[in-house]
Amino acid sequence: MDELIEKAARIILESKLTIALTGAGISVESGIPDFRSKGGLWDRFDPEEYATIYAFTKTPEKVWLMLKEMEETVDNAKPNEAHIGLSELERLGLLQTVITQNIDNLHQEAGSRDVIEYHGNSRSLTCLRCNRKYDYKEKKGEYPPKCECGKILKPDVIFFGEAIPVKAMARSSQLASTCQALLIIGTSAVVSPFNILPRQAKQAGSKIIEINLEKTVLTGHITDIFLQGKASEQVSHVVSAVKELRDL
Ligand code: NAD
Ligand code: ZN
C-alpha cells in the first residue's frame, strides 16, 4: 500500500467526523469540463462574462446559450469512481457529508445522501420578477425558458455576485469547524466564500487530505496529505485502503 494513501486512510478511520469538499475537478472524468480545461465549454463562454448575476439580469438570452450547453453536458454525464467512492464511504459510516460547489447532481446520482449544494442546483428555475418556481423538467427543451409572466427564468444555480443559500452556508460552516478530517477534491479553492471552509477546518484542528491533478493554493499551506492524480483513481485507492485496514 502506498504510504500516503495509508496515512490518508488511517486519518479517516480515526476521525469521528469526516466531510468532503468537492469542486468541478471531481466531475471532469464524467465529461463535464472545469474552468481550466482547454477546448471546453469555458473556452467559448468566459465565466467572467457569462456566469455573473449581472450578465444574467442584463442579457439572460445570451447567458442561456451557455446554460443550454451546460445542461446538455450535465444531462449526458454519469458519476465516476470518485463520486461512487464517496458514497461508499458514507455507507460505511466513515463520511458524514459532501459539500459540493458543483451543480451537476452527480453525487446524488452516485448514491450520496447527505449532500450540501453550496452553489445551488440546476434542477429548478426561478422567476426573478414574480418568484414563481418551476421544476427543470417542466421547461425542458424551451430556450430560453420563460415564466408565465413572460420573464426569462433563472436556474437555481448561484452565479458570481449572488449570495450563497443561507442554510447551505450555515451548515457547511458548522461542519467545517467541527470535523476531524476533511477531504478536498478537485477544486482550485479560489472561489469565495467556499474557500473559507478548508481554512476553518484547519483552524479547528482537522486533518486536511487534498486530491488534485495539480498543486493548489492550499497545497503546502493547509494540506496535510496531498494525493496528486485523477480524482477517480485517488479516491478509489483511499476507499480500498480504508476497507483493507478496517478489516485487519
Ligand atoms: P476550478 O475549475 O476552478 O478548478 C478545478 C480543479 O480541479 C483544478 O484545481 C484542477 O486541477 C482539478 N482537476 C481537474 N481535473 C481533475 C481530475 N480529473 N482529478 C482531480 N482534480 C482535477 O473549479 P472549482 O474550484 O470547482 O470552481 C469553479 C466554480 O464553477 C465552482 O463553483 C464549480 O462548482 C463551478 N463549476 C461546476 C461544474 C459542475 O457542476 N460540474 C463545472 C464547471 C464549473
Ligand atoms: Zn414570473
Side-chain angles (χ1 to χ4, degrees):
M1 192 185 293
D2 177 273
E3 198 184 323
L4 280 182
I5 297 283
E6 181 175 343
K7 274 191 184 159
R10 288 195 189 281
I11 288 172
I12 293 169
L13 284 166
E14 281 162 19
S15 158
K16 290 198 176 67
L17 178 63
T18 301
I19 62 172
L21 304 181
T22 67
I26 198 170
S27 297
V28 166
E29 293 168 77
S30 293
I32 306 174
D34 63 0
F35 281 166
R36 291 145 170 254
S37 306
K38 295 271 176 303
L41 190 66
W42 306 114
D43 267 356
R44 277 169 297 124
F45 300 106
D46 178 0
E48 299 275 330
E49 195 184 330
Y50 283 85
T52 69
I53 189 63
Y54 174 72
F56 188 86
T57 47
K58 202 168 145 224
T59 50
E61 51 291 288
K62 181 178 152 188
V63 172
W64 264 104
L65 296 174
M66 178 271 285
L67 290 171
K68 178 172 186 278
E69 237 182 269
M70 185 80 193
E71 208 171 279
E72 284 163 4
T73 310
V74 167
D75 272 355
N76 290 323
K78 301 241 170 348
N80 66 54
E81 291 303 317
H83 302 101
I84 294 166
L86 293 183
S87 81
E88 205 174 346
L89 283 181
E90 184 186 17
R91 266 200 312 283
L92 292 169
L94 295 169
L95 179 70
Q96 173 72 43
T97 307
V98 175
I99 305 173
T100 188
Q101 296 170 91
N102 299 340
I103 47 95
D104 55 27
N105 208 41
L106 293 181
H107 286 297
Q108 292 92 330
E109 279 178 40
S112 284
R113 281 163 302 200
D114 192 8
V115 181
I116 298 178
E117 294 173 308
Y118 204 80
H119 290 160
N121 68 73
S122 49
R123 295 183 303 276
S124 55
L125 305 154
T126 300
C127 174
L128 297 180
R129 183 192 284 150
C130 70
N131 281 330
R132 201 183 292 262
K133 264 196 188 292
Y134 296 83
D135 188 287
Y136 92 101
K137 284 187 199 129
E138 272 180 78
K139 293 285 166 187
K140 214 166 160 49
E142 192 184 323
Y143 295 107
K146 288 195 179 130
C147 178
E148 265 175 42
C149 78
K151 191 152 176 82
I152 296 178
L153 293 164
K154 181 188 154 295
D156 289 339
V157 300
I158 305 303
F159 283 62
F160 289 119
E162 273 192 295
I164 305 301
V166 176
K167 269 195 199 154
M169 187 137 138
R171 186 153 181 256
S172 302
S173 201
Q174 198 265 335
L175 284 164
S177 54
T178 48
C179 67
Q180 297 182 349
L182 180 125
L183 286 157
I184 176 152
I185 308 167
T187 173
S188 57
V190 294
V191 176
S192 168
F194 186 87
N195 63 354
I196 296 167
L197 298 171
R199 290 170 179 86
Q200 237 178 339
K202 182 75 175 181
Q203 263 174 15
S206 172
K207 291 272 187 257
I208 314 287
I209 301 163
E210 182 182 24
I211 296 178
N212 202 303
L213 284 178
E214 301 167 359
K215 290 184 176 160
T216 70
V217 292
L218 305 176
T219 325
H221 296 282
I222 76 149
T223 300
D224 294 297
I225 298 197
F226 181 55
L227 303 175
Q228 186 159 17
K230 289 182 176 174
S232 64
E233 292 173 5
Q234 298 302 319
V235 173
S236 300
H237 291 326
V238 170
V239 175
S240 304
V242 160
K243 288 203 256 181
E244 200 180 315
L245 293 169
R246 190 195 55 160
D247 295 339
L248 281 181

